Each structure stands twice: as structure tokens, then as C-alpha cells.
Amino acid sequence: MSLALAPLDVSVEVEANLPCRKFDPDLWFSDSPTELELAKSLCGDCPLRVECLSGAVERAEPWGVWGGEIFERGAVVPRKRPRGRPRKEDLARDAALRVEAEARLAANGLATRSAVRLAA
């Protein structure tokens, strides 16, 4: 049995230019918030970003960076927080980032609450 990782019409050249294929795959599944932000930024120019995000939402990916968004427990989170109690300014920034994440999902046609669950 073979699992398809990309659409069949994607050439080998395009696949070689995908950031998740060029860089260490562990970057997209890191525990470090800084490394996850780096992975998100690398996804920005990916030609399969929208398809990757759409597939991750459909599969309710449990964790990792997919299509430029961070998934945690099957939900899109604006950023991964480090361990410990969050500071008040971090909570305010998280609220603003949550709105930004919803806008990015809406821009990709994935804004309905039934299509994706955003973590609080």
C-alpha cells in the first residue's frame, strides 16, 4: 500500500522546493515555540500551502505546523506558548493572534467553525 504525500500532478522539481522537504522535518513538529514560528514562516512561500492547510484541517492533525498554521490537539493555535503560567501581556497578544489566525483561515476559505476548531 502506498500513501500519497502530495497531489499526483506535482513534479519532482516542485517537491524538491517544498520547505518541509528541504529542511529538517523535525522543525515542523518541534516543542520549541521559536522553531515552530520559523517553520510557519518557511511555509509562507510554499506552492502547496493552501492544500496542506486544507488537508490538515480535514484530518484534524493532532500537532505540528501544517500550511503555515500551528496545530495542537487538532485545533489551530495562533502560537505555541512555552511551559508555565502565561504573562498578562502574552494573553493579550494571544487574543490578537487568534483574530489574525481566523483571518488567515477565512482568506483560505476555511473560516467556518464547523470546518476548523480554533483553540482558546
Side-chain angles (χ1 to χ4, degrees):
M1 174 187 268
S2 171
L3 296 175
L5 298 178
L8 294 176
D9 60 340
V10 175
S11 71
V12 175
E13 282 182 34
V14 171
E15 187 173 312
N17 289 325
L18 300 178
C20 57
R21 305 288 168 92
K22 284 170 51 174
F23 297 96
D24 181 7
D26 290 340
L27 183 64
W28 276 260
F29 299 97
S30 175
D31 286 329
S32 164
T34 305
E35 289 181 357
L36 291 176
E37 290 300 323
L38 174 59
K40 277 177 58 174
S41 69
L42 292 171
C43 289
D45 296 329
C46 180
L48 297 178
R49 187 181 61 77
V50 173
E51 292 86 352
C52 179
L53 178 59
S54 172
V57 168
E58 286 176 23
R59 293 185 306 273
E61 283 293 339
W63 63 295
V65 175
W66 297 89
E69 298 294 339
I70 298 173
F71 282 74
E72 190 170 293
R73 295 186 196 112
V76 174
V77 295
R79 73 180 184 90
K80 183 174 174 95
R81 283 193 231 143
R83 295 177 66 151
R85 184 175 177 183
R87 301 160 103 186
K88 289 181 182 178
E89 59 266 14
D90 288 343
L91 292 174
R93 182 177 51 189
D94 284 351
L97 288 172
R98 192 173 305 108
V99 170
E100 183 182 325
E102 287 178 359
R104 286 195 308 267
L105 289 168
N108 290 309
L110 300 169
T112 63
R113 285 287 177 176
S114 61
V116 65
R117 182 172 59 97
L118 291 171

